[in-house]
């Protein structure tokens, strides 16, 4: 199970980083979404894995529970990452409306002097 | 704190408080402005004189207020002999300069500004000399750099003024930075930032291995401030300042700050070989070099500037000798130099003011036209030359005496010969000042016919010239203060006797050689001057400018090559750095053995894992098709929710699944306006590079996760589990942590979420008010739209679902404290239910039926949560302490009432409001994009059609 969770975090991170480095807003947003999954699972996993030990206190005497603290942290993180995604989407939309392109690395006047740079990109 | 301590505080504060006044008083006239500058200075001086007798008796006056004790920073001041000497000089000269400047500055100059700057500087300088905390001292040190920048650049219209001010700030500021490092080291070695403690720890500091770095860094600060070679070049350029500034900052006070610091640190740092060779050698070189350049300067102020450099070198050398007698000589020369050099600067200012030139080659023969100025200038210049019966002679004799028995790298002659050479050059330029300005034939081509200035202008230099003669004739007058200051410097109990005649000593012969040689040099000045002008020599300003240009080019090169404006490059650099740092940390310490066994993997989970991995790879592989990628993202999110369920995190699963839903809706809405395909524009090389970065990052994070998953951990969660029910009144530990244990975090988080919602709303408005609105209206989106946008079935189903969803939301909210659920999830569930109405029945129709603004919801939520937290204050508890009780309502079972519930209500409302506001904002854009407004809930309403039929019938 540990290997499964760790590999999930790894694959999500790899995909997220790759997409984050693309040149259009939408893939970057997708990449950041993948990355937030990865980070959330990572933080959640830092409380170690356990099965059938929900942190809901049992009325029937002694029971063992999983670590509730990372769960509380991740719960708010999930909601906040939604907020962040929404802000990013809005900024991306705004940039698209204003500049009529969704490229994220728009050439500025300074870069115009070196046009060979953006053909590479 | 003692009565005297209070006085010391007031002295330190007075200039800063006073600085507010002159700038305002200038409307009342220049004299009033000058008066209000002089008043706080004079008051501070009187207070200082009240404290003086005790200090002269050897007492040390202290005053302290704790400021930032965690950093070792306190507002503590102390006044000993050295501080008294400098404070007296700063305040006394401040008064004289105020008077002089009143007459020197023309009516066109903004005089109120000048006096404000002057008082700021005076306060900063005073702070340096009476600070008892080296961190506080550093603050004042930087303040002098800043305020002197303002003063040097006072004549803003002159490019030389601006450049000189910049150069002074760059050099002294850089030195100040070095000194911060040195002082921190020193405080670290001594274990205290209090000067009085550090002064006690001299032995330990000199023995420390950090002694040399600390020494060099502190000396860098002192040398740059006191214009020691090779940092001397800024001082002559700072002469673009008005002459009162030059007289005050560049002869009497600021340039002496470096000397003061060396004197202050003398008991701690002096006495080692490193100190002797660095400080004494630098001083010696500066003394000779400064004097040599001064001899050939034609600008009166430049001549005086280089002579100041030379005399500062002399002081540095004396302190560098490290002997007590040399320290006495240094203290005495500080006083003497102040008197004659400030008088000379003022004289030069008067000459400039009256003749409109400072070029020595255009002057000469002024003795008949300006007899008073001539008299003052001559007295001061003879003192500078070291002629008997003037005070400069006394300290120069002491300096030569010390030099005569100082060995330098085994040589008996190096120091005495060079010191004599310095004295000789000093005689030469002093004589030249008198001979070439005042003596010689009267000319008729002065740019302006000169005459003596009004009394107010020559009063200050005349007073100083009187002091020159008084100390020169009766040196015992200065004995008290010199003794007190020298004892403060050396920490010893000295009783020096200042006298004119020491007998026929080597120093006397060196003096005689210096005076004779100096006179000879002056006679040969004309041919020597020709040779000097012809000789090649480095121009400090050009070198400095090239150096600055080089540094600017270097930093621009670094900036441009890393910050090219491409965010993908930054992200790549950031990721690679993070991975590399992670690897370094791993390589540095390695791993311990695993302590946990792996949990088994049931087949369902394995299938889910495969689905998740395949989806992730597919998102990457087909991200060009944006809709497809979005569907796959949804699969990933759902798989993760399922994982949370299996791994004992029901709350997370609930949250994840509802957030997933709104995220997909959000991205779908956004995609409506964006291109549906991502063009393939990355080269294979770039894809390979990014792929490698991604794999490295993923591999690293995955390995890290695996490493810690296989090892046990000490967690603080035991406390939360143990106290959740008894302390927080809930059995869902996660929810109790959110609303109780870490309620403050949650409170911050809902505020952030609320702000994000408002930010999106504001962005939407900014967009719709700008040119984007026109562009949106002119873009045709009709191709993307469904022909049946509000299908009958969906409308009906969502209507039916609405109350059910509300009840589910309420249920999830209420059980949250004890079972999985809570404000976050409930907020999201209700938001989804509302969003369904928007989607099914259309924006306008739903909007019309909305009763509460979403902004209001956010505000209400934050306020409720905040008030709940603040309610704990009423019970005398800290913010957000919760209380709970159980009540029994007959039809229902036992029922819990907790203030945490109220807090959770705040969370619920904020989440609901923020999520709705975000999606609402995006949908509003759609309205602008030419979307038709539907009046009814459905495009085709069977009810309407039936009604129509009825009316027709």
């Amino acid at each position: 199970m540990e290997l499964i969770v760790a590999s999930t975090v790894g694959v999500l991170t790899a995909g997220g980083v790759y997409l984050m480095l693309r040149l259009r807003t939408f893939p970057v947003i997708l990449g950041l979404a993948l990355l937030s999954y990865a980070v959330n699972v990572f933080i959640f996993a830092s409380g170690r894995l356990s099965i059938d030990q929900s942190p809901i206190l049992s009325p029937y005497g002694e029971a063992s529970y999983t670590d509730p603290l990372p769960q509380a942290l991740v719960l708010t993180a999930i909601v906040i990452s939604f907020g962040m995604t929404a802000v990013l989407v809005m900024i991306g939309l705004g940039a698209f409306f204003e500049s009529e392109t969704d490229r994220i690395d728009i050439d500025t006047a300074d870069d115009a002097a070196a046009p060979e740079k953006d053909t590479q990109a | 704190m003692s009565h005297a301590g209070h006085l010391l505080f007031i002295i330190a504060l007075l200039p800063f408080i006073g600085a507010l006044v002159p700038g305002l008083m200038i409307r009342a006239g220049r004299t009033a402005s000058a008066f209000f500058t002089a008043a706080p200075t004079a008051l501070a001086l009187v207070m200082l004189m009240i404290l003086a007798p005790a200090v002269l008796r050897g007492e040390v006056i202290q005053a302290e207020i704790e400021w930032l004790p965690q950093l070792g920073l306190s507002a503590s001041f102390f006044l000993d002999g050295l501080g008294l000497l400098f404070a007296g000089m700063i305040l006394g000269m401040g008064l004289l300069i105020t008077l002089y400047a009143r007459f020197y500055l023309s009516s066109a100059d903004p005089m109120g500004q000048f006096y404000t700057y002057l008082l700021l500087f005076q306060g900063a300088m005073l702070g340096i000399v009476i600070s008892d905390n080296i961190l506080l001292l550093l603050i004042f040190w930087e303040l002098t750099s800043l305020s002197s920048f303002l003063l040097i650049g006072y004549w803003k219209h002159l490019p030389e003024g601006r450049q000189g001010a910049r150069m002074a700030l760059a050099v002294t500021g850089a030195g100040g930075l070095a000194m911060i490092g040195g002082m921190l080291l020193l405080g670290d070695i001594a274990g205290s930032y209090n000067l009085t403690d550090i002064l006690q720890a001299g032995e330990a500091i000199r023995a420390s291995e950090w002694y040399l770095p600390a020494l060099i860094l502190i000396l860098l600060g002192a040398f740059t401030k006191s214009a020691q070679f090779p940092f001397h070049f800024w001082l002559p350029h700072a002469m673009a300042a008005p002459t009162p500034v030059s007289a005050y900052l560049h002869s009497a006070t600021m340039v002496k700050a470096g000397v003061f610091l060396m004197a202050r640190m003398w008991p701690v740092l002096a006495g080692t070989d490193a100190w002797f060779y660095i400080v004494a050698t630098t001083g010696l070189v500066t003394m000779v070099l400064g004097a040599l350049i001064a001899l050939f300067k034609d600008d009166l102020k430049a001549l005086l500037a280089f002579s100041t450099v030379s005399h500062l070198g002399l002081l540095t050398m004396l302190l560098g000798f490290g002997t007590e007698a040399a320290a006495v000589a240094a203290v005495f020369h500080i006083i003497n130099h102040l008197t004659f050099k400030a008088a000379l600067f003022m004289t030069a200012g008067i000459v400039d003011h009256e003749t409109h030139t400072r070029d020595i080659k255009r002057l000469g023969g002024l003795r008949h036209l300006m007899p008073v100025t001539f008299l003052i200038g001559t007295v001061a210049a003879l003192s500078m030359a070291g002629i008997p019966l003037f005070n400069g002679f006394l300290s120069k004799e002491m300096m030569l005496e010390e030099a005569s028995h100082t060995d330098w790298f085994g040589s008996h002659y190096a120091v005495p010969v060079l010191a004599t050479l310095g004295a000789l050059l000093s005689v030469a330029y002093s004589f030249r000042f008198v001979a070439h300005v005042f003596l010689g034939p009267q000319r008729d081509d002065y740019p302006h016919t000169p005459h003596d200035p009004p009394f107010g202008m020559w009063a200050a230099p005349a007073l100083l010239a009187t002091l020159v003669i008084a100390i020169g004739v009766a040196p015992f007058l200065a004995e008290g203060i010199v003794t007190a200051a020298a004892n403060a410097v050396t920490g010893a109990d000295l009783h020096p006797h200042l006298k004119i005649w020491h007998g026929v000593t080597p120093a006397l012969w060196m003096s005689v050689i210096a005076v004779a040689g100096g006179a000879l040099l002056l006679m040969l000045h004309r041919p020597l001057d020709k040779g000097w002008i012809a000789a090649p020599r480095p121009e400090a300003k050009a070198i400095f400018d090239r150096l600055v240009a080089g540094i600017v080019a270097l930093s621009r090169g670094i900036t441009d090559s890393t910050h090219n404006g491409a965010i993908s490059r930054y992200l790549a650099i950031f990721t690679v750095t993070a991975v590399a740092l992670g690897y370094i940390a791993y390589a540095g310490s390695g791993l311990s053995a695993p302590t946990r066994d792996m949990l088994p993997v049931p087949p369902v989970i394995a299938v889910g894992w495969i689905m998740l991995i395949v989806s992730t790879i597919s998102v990457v592989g087909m991200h060009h098709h944006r809709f497809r990628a979005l569907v796959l993202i949804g699969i990933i999110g759902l798989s993760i929710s399922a994982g949370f369920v299996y791994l004992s995190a029901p709350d997370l699963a609930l949250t994840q699944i509802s957030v997933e839903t709104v995220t997909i809706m959000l991205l779908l809405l956004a995609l409506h306006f964006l291109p549906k395909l991502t063009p393939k524009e990355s080269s294979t090389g770039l894809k390979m590079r990014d792929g490698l970065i991604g794999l490295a990052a993923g591999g690293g994070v995955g390995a890290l996760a695996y490493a810690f998953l296989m090892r046990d951990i000490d967690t603080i969660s035991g406390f939360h589990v143990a106290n959740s029910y008894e302390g927080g009144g809930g059995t869902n530990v996660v929810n109790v942590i959110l609303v109780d244990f870490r309620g403050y975090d949650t409170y911050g988080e809902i505020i952030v979420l609320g702000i994000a919602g408002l930010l999106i709303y504001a962005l939407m408005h900014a967009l719709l008010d700008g040119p984007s609105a026109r562009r949106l209206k002119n873009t045709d989106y009709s191709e993307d739209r469904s022909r049946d946008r509000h299908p009958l079935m969906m409308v009906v189903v969502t209507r039916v679902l609405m109350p059910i969803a509300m009840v589910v939301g309420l249920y999830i909210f209420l059980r949250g404290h004890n079972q999985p659920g809570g404000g976050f999830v409930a907020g999201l569930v209700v938001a989804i239910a509302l969003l369904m109405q928007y989607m099914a029945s259309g924006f306008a129709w739903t909007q019309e039926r909305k009763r509460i603004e979403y902004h209001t919801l956010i505000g209400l939520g934050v306020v409720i949560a905040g008030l709940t937290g603040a309610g704990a204050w009423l019970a005398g508890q800290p913010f957000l302490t919760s209380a709970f009780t159980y009540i029994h309502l007959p039809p229902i079972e036992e029922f819990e009432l907790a203030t945490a519930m109220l807090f959770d209500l705040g969370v619920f409302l904020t989440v609901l409001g923020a999520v709705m506001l975000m999606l609402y904002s995006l949908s509003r854009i759609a309205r602008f994009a030419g979307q038709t407004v539907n009046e009814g809930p459905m495009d085709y309403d069977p009810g309407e059609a039936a009604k129509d039929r009825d009316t027709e019938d």
Side-chain angles (χ1 to χ4, degrees):
Chain A
M1 195 68 215
E2 273 77 3
L3 202 54
I4 285 212
V5 173
S7 61
T8 304
V9 171
V11 170
L12 284 172
T13 309
V17 169
Y18 179 79
L19 287 181
M20 187 178 80
L21 297 175
R22 298 302 87 206
L23 299 174
R24 300 279 171 164
T25 47
F26 199 75
V28 171
I29 291 169
L30 291 185
L32 289 173
L34 286 187
L35 215 51
S36 2
Y37 289 141
V39 170
N40 288 341
V41 175
F42 183 89
I43 296 174
F44 163 72
S46 72
R48 308 300 182 263
L49 306 182
S50 44
I51 297 165
D52 291 337
Q53 295 181 359
S54 304
I56 311 289
L57 297 182
S58 158
Y60 311 112
E62 283 299 299
S64 61
Y65 303 102
T66 185
D67 193 340
L69 196 57
Q71 293 196 13
L73 297 181
V74 171
L75 199 153
T76 51
I78 293 174
V79 180
I80 292 279
S81 63
F82 163 73
M84 185 204 72
T85 309
V87 171
L88 269 180
V89 163
M90 198 66 199
I91 291 173
L93 266 187
F96 177 66
F97 292 148
E98 296 280 324
S99 64
E100 293 184 308
T101 170
D102 62 345
R103 277 192 65 120
I104 52 172
D105 299 337
I106 296 166
D107 294 327
T108 57
D110 296 343
D111 295 341
E116 72 277 359
K117 242 196 250 170
D118 59 16
T119 49
Q120 278 173 6
Chain B
M1 204 183 310
S2 65
H3 174 65
H6 287 297
L7 275 188
L8 197 56
F9 261 115
I10 298 172
I11 292 173
L13 279 177
L14 261 175
F16 290 109
I17 298 169
L20 301 171
V21 182
L24 302 172
M25 283 310 295
I26 192 62
R27 284 164 192 278
R30 300 195 293 158
T31 309
S33 189
F35 176 78
F36 277 97
T37 310
T41 316
L43 199 58
L45 194 60
V46 168
M47 291 183 185
L48 194 72
M49 288 307 123
I50 295 173
L51 298 180
V55 176
L56 288 178
R57 280 197 305 273
E59 287 175 30
V60 175
I61 293 160
Q62 284 181 308
E64 180 169 5
I65 293 180
E66 290 275 305
W67 186 6
L68 289 174
Q70 299 90 339
L71 294 180
L73 183 57
S74 60
S76 53
F77 298 101
F78 81 129
L79 189 71
D80 63 355
L82 187 66
L84 178 69
L85 169 65
F86 270 89
M89 280 167 34
I90 293 160
L91 292 170
M93 273 306 292
L95 271 182
L96 296 182
I97 292 294
T98 308
L99 172 67
Y100 180 76
R102 161 66 188 84
F103 292 93
Y104 181 84
L105 293 176
S106 77
S107 52
D109 293 320
M111 195 180 268
Q113 227 175 63
F114 179 85
Y115 280 134
T116 294
Y117 294 165
L118 198 72
L119 279 176
L120 280 179
F121 170 78
Q122 184 179 298
M125 196 63 214
L126 203 56
I128 290 183
V129 300
I130 60 173
S131 284
D132 188 16
N133 184 296
I134 51 176
L135 300 177
L136 189 67
L137 189 150
L138 286 171
I139 293 172
F140 285 121
W141 186 276
E142 298 297 328
L143 276 181
T144 59
S145 292
L146 290 176
S147 51
S148 77
F149 172 80
L150 293 172
L151 282 169
I152 297 170
Y154 173 69
W155 280 328
K156 301 180 189 74
H157 54 281
L158 296 180
E160 303 88 46
R162 298 197 300 267
Q163 287 162 10
R166 254 202 324 266
M167 187 193 274
L169 185 66
V171 176
T172 57
L177 285 181
M179 204 175 84
I180 291 177
M183 286 295 195
L184 291 179
L185 279 179
L186 202 64
D188 199 45
I189 301 171
S192 163
Y193 290 107
N194 267 351
L195 207 52
T196 22
D197 296 338
I198 291 174
L199 291 181
Q200 303 298 320
E203 288 285 328
I205 288 168
R206 282 190 295 275
S208 159
E209 55 178 342
W210 287 100
Y211 166 72
L212 196 61
L215 174 71
I216 291 173
L217 287 171
I218 291 175
L219 286 180
L220 271 176
F223 286 174
T224 47
K225 201 78 155 183
S226 280
Q228 294 300 294
F229 179 82
F231 309 110
H232 61 283
F233 56 88
W234 69 264
L235 186 56
H237 288 285
M239 289 299 143
T243 302
V245 175
S246 309
Y248 194 34
L249 273 65
H250 304 132
S251 79
T253 54
M254 190 178 83
V255 290
K256 297 250 174 70
V259 174
F260 167 80
L261 194 80
M262 286 187 269
R264 186 44 99 209
M265 292 294 169
W266 197 87
V268 179
L269 299 176
T272 61
D273 277 354
W275 170 271
F276 172 76
Y277 284 113
I278 297 176
V279 179
T281 311
T282 307
L284 190 60
V285 170
T286 310
M287 178 171 85
V288 176
L289 203 70
L292 183 68
I293 301 174
L295 182 57
F296 296 104
K297 282 289 168 188
D298 288 333
D299 180 354
L300 269 184
K301 279 179 77 178
L303 185 153
L304 292 177
F306 277 105
S307 89
T308 305
V309 168
S310 169
H311 280 268
L312 290 168
L314 187 158
L315 291 169
T316 306
M317 179 182 77
L318 280 173
L319 290 170
F321 284 163
T323 61
E324 286 170 354
V328 174
V331 169
F332 192 30
H333 194 68
I334 288 172
I335 302 174
N336 296 338
H337 180 249
L338 166 93
T339 51
F340 66 70
K341 187 54 64 68
L344 282 171
F345 264 113
M346 292 185 191
T347 310
I350 292 172
V351 169
D352 185 19
H353 199 256
E354 294 300 322
T355 65
H356 293 194
T357 181
R358 303 197 306 244
D359 189 345
I360 295 181
K361 291 221 163 78
R362 299 186 66 184
L363 293 168
L366 291 180
R367 67 185 179 284
H368 295 303
L369 294 166
M370 312 170 71
V372 178
T373 317
F374 167 59
L375 184 66
I376 295 168
T378 309
V379 167
L382 290 178
S383 175
M384 179 158 78
I387 303 300
L389 296 185
F390 299 99
N391 62 359
F393 169 75
L394 301 167
S395 44
K396 185 166 285 191
E397 282 283 292
M398 289 161 78
M399 180 275 285
L400 291 172
E401 172 67 27
E402 285 306 306
S404 69
H405 48 73
T406 302
D407 291 351
W408 192 80
F409 280 116
S411 158
H412 300 302
Y413 296 105
V415 175
V417 167
L418 284 173
T420 313
L421 178 63
L424 186 151
L425 290 167
S426 180
V427 171
Y429 67 65
S430 305
F431 284 177
R432 180 165 178 245
F433 183 89
V434 179
H436 288 187
V437 174
F438 295 105
L439 303 181
Q442 192 169 329
R443 298 165 68 144
D444 49 15
D445 59 346
Y446 304 118
H448 185 265
T449 312
H451 52 77
D452 267 325
F455 169 75
M457 201 157 172
W458 62 258
L463 181 68
L464 291 168
T466 317
L467 279 176
V468 164
I469 297 175
I471 299 176
V473 177
F476 59 85
L477 289 176
E479 219 166 74
I481 181 70
V482 169
T483 307
N487 285 344
V489 172
T490 57
D493 191 18
L494 305 174
H495 297 283
H497 290 287
L498 309 173
K499 49 188 181 184
I500 301 173
W501 181 249
H502 290 271
V504 183
T505 55
L508 189 67
W509 284 115
M510 287 153 83
S511 249
V512 170
I513 295 169
V515 173
L520 189 70
L521 265 189
L522 183 65
M523 277 184 260
L524 296 174
H525 187 266
R526 195 171 288 258
L528 285 175
D529 197 36
K530 282 209 179 80
W532 175 265
I533 290 169
R537 50 185 193 282
E539 178 58 48
K541 185 168 188 314
I543 297 173
F544 177 80
D545 286 345
R546 269 206 303 280
L547 195 70
V548 170
I551 293 171
V552 169
L554 179 70
S555 54
R556 185 162 289 159
I558 294 173
T559 314
D560 286 353
S561 59
T562 50
H563 287 233
N564 64 346
I567 193 170
S568 43
R569 175 179 296 201
Y570 303 163
L571 290 173
I573 292 173
F574 168 74
T575 314
V576 170
T577 312
V579 171
L581 287 178
Y583 180 75
I584 290 169
Y586 165 73
S589 59
L591 281 174
S592 59
T595 57
R596 286 171 75 100
D597 294 329
M598 259 208 260
L599 295 171
V601 182
V604 179
I605 294 296
V607 171
W609 176 73
I610 292 169
M611 194 163 78
L612 191 149
I613 300 294
V614 170
S615 305
T616 312
I617 294 170
S618 309
V619 169
V620 174
M622 52 174 82
H623 73 267
H624 297 284
H625 299 277
R626 293 179 172 183
F627 275 116
R628 249 179 261 174
L630 214 49
V631 173
L632 291 165
I633 288 271
I635 295 176
I636 296 171
L638 293 181
S639 312
I640 289 177
S641 316
F644 283 144
V645 173
Y646 181 70
L647 290 170
S648 318
D651 279 290
L652 289 191
L654 277 174
T655 315
Q656 180 72 57
I657 209 163
S658 36
V659 163
E660 201 52 47
T661 316
V662 276
T663 308
I664 298 293
M665 284 187 199
L666 174 90
L667 290 173
L668 271 174
L669 268 172
L671 200 50
H672 177 63
F673 305 103
L674 289 169
K676 307 299 174 283
L677 290 174
T678 305
K680 303 200 175 185
E681 54 192 348
S682 300
S683 65
T684 318
L686 197 71
K687 281 184 193 163
M688 292 281 284
R689 187 200 76 175
D690 293 347
L692 281 177
I693 294 176
L695 285 179
V701 173
L704 177 61
Y706 183 67
F708 72 61
L709 277 174
M710 294 308 289
R711 284 157 185 82
D712 279 310
I713 188 185
D714 277 337
T715 167
I716 57 168
S717 301
F719 170 82
H720 298 128
V721 174
N723 289 291
S724 175
Y725 188 69
E726 276 155 30
T731 54
N732 181 359
V733 187
V734 174
N735 185 270
V736 175
I737 290 176
L738 282 175
V739 298
D740 195 327
F741 294 130
R742 303 202 59 84
Y744 219 153
D745 284 2
T746 311
Y747 186 52
E749 262 148 343
I750 59 172
I751 291 176
V752 171
L753 197 67
I755 291 173
L758 295 175
L759 172 64
I760 288 173
Y761 182 77
L763 274 171
M764 182 265 298
H765 262 286
L767 279 177
L768 295 184
D769 288 344
S772 322
R774 278 194 302 283
R775 199 167 294 146
L776 269 170
K777 279 193 172 137
N778 294 329
T779 313
D780 184 17
Y781 288 100
S782 57
E783 275 309 299
D784 298 339
R785 287 194 186 119
S786 159
R787 294 283 172 267
D788 184 10
R789 290 191 294 138
H790 306 291
L792 178 67
M793 284 304 286
M794 191 164 163
V795 174
V796 174
V797 170
T798 51
R799 293 273 178 84
V800 175
L801 270 177
M802 176 79 178
I804 302 174
M806 289 295 183
V807 171
V808 170
L810 186 68
Y811 172 66
I812 289 180
F813 174 75
L814 286 177
R815 79 201 282 255
H817 212 41
N818 294 315
Q819 293 293 315
F824 276 109
V825 184
L828 288 163
V829 167
V830 172
I832 292 170
L834 289 175
L835 286 169
M836 292 302 288
Q837 303 302 313
Y838 277 96
M839 281 171 74
S841 304
F843 182 82
W845 185 85
T846 317
Q847 191 65 16
E848 252 175 45
R849 282 150 186 83
K850 188 184 70 172
R851 294 281 178 270
I852 303 178
E853 286 293 331
Y854 301 128
H855 311 72
T856 319
L857 278 185
I858 296 178
L860 264 181
V862 172
V863 167
I864 288 177
L867 283 181
T868 312
W873 285 334
L874 296 180
Q877 301 280 339
F879 189 60
L880 279 173
T881 309
S882 73
F884 59 93
T885 180
Y886 295 90
I887 53 169
H888 197 80
L889 289 180
I892 318 173
E893 281 303 295
E894 195 179 51
F895 194 74
E896 183 200 351
L897 266 188
T899 58
M901 198 74 111
L902 213 53
F903 182 78
D904 220 12
L905 178 66
V907 174
F908 166 80
L909 291 176
T910 312
V911 170
L912 177 62
V915 171
M916 290 311 292
L917 193 61
M918 287 170 186
L919 290 150
Y920 155 81
S921 303
L922 271 170
S923 343
R924 258 208 71 182
I925 295 180
R927 285 283 304 278
F928 257 81
Q931 195 172 54
T932 49
V933 177
N934 54 320
E935 298 300 330
M938 291 163 252
D939 289 341
Y940 173 71
D941 188 343
E944 279 298 312
K947 237 183 271 169
D948 288 349
R949 237 188 356 261
D950 292 347
T951 48
E952 272 170 29
D953 290 346

